[in-house]
Amino acid sequence: WELIRVENMMRLRCTFTFPDFREALAFTNSVGELAEAEQHHPELITEWGKVTVTWWTHSVKGVHMNDFIMAARTGVVANI
Amino acid sequence: WELIRVENMMRLRCTFTFPDFREALAFTNSVGELAEAEQHHPELITEWGKVTVTWWTHSVKGVHMNDFIMAARTGVVANI
């Protein structure tokens, strides 16, 4: 995970790689399920063979403790 | 759809809006199915309430006729 600055707000971003589009999209859906369960939603960029996940919290205009927790849980989903 | 320039390559991009994250993700999956069927894959940015779809063709370093066709078919999927 790297901490990036977008529109003057910090965000937490990581790119996960996959052998094809289908597996990338399956990961997007797994992270989507996690997001729905927690009602905290990332930006998910799905491409052939990779997904870039970005977490941040609008209400604090940056990265909140919960974003670090969601990032860690995203990593767990990636290893399933 | 708008024609944008990224890394000196033209791309075709459109943002579709939805009432929540779940419907946005369902649209991402529908476009993903279309992409798999045609073996031509866009970039799909899924966020709460919106999906940004970008089509381009690596081999021509820009927008090919097929990208316009896929863009039109993406619009059909959005209206289902």
Side-chain angles (χ1 to χ4, degrees):
Chain A
W1 293 88
E2 54 175 349
L3 211 47
I4 58 164
R5 186 179 289 271
V6 178
E7 292 164 10
N8 222 27
M9 283 192 284
M10 299 308 289
R11 300 182 179 192
L12 210 45
R13 182 175 71 184
C14 187
T15 298
F16 298 86
T17 57
F18 302 92
D20 57 25
F21 182 81
R22 190 171 292 281
E23 289 198 33
L25 186 56
F27 176 69
T28 292
N29 278 289
S30 297
V31 179
E33 279 176 38
L34 171 64
E36 278 292 290
E38 298 299 328
Q39 282 299 301
H40 184 47
H41 301 89
E43 176 194 76
L44 292 158
I45 305 180
T46 310
E47 296 171 87
W48 194 94
K50 67 177 178 178
V51 178
T52 302
V53 184
T54 309
W55 291 101
W56 75 97
T57 301
H58 276 280
S59 59
V60 302
K61 296 193 179 192
V63 175
H64 184 270
M65 174 65 87
N66 193 35
D67 295 302
F68 286 99
I69 293 169
M70 294 303 276
R73 293 182 65 187
T74 303
V76 172
V77 168
N79 290 323
I80 288 171
Chain B
W1 293 86
E2 55 175 349
L3 211 47
I4 58 163
R5 187 179 287 273
V6 179
E7 292 165 9
N8 222 29
M9 285 192 282
M10 299 309 288
R11 301 183 180 191
L12 211 45
R13 182 175 70 184
C14 189
T15 298
F16 299 86
T17 57
F18 302 92
D20 56 25
F21 182 81
R22 189 170 291 283
E23 289 198 32
L25 186 56
F27 177 70
T28 292
N29 278 288
S30 298
V31 178
E33 278 176 38
L34 171 65
E36 278 291 290
E38 299 299 327
Q39 282 300 301
H40 185 47
H41 301 89
E43 177 192 77
L44 291 158
I45 306 180
T46 312
E47 296 171 86
W48 194 94
K50 68 178 177 175
V51 178
T52 301
V53 185
T54 309
W55 292 101
W56 76 97
T57 301
H58 276 279
S59 60
V60 302
K61 295 191 179 188
V63 175
H64 184 270
M65 173 67 87
N66 194 36
D67 294 304
F68 287 99
I69 293 169
M70 294 303 277
R73 295 183 64 187
T74 303
V76 172
V77 168
N79 290 322
I80 288 171

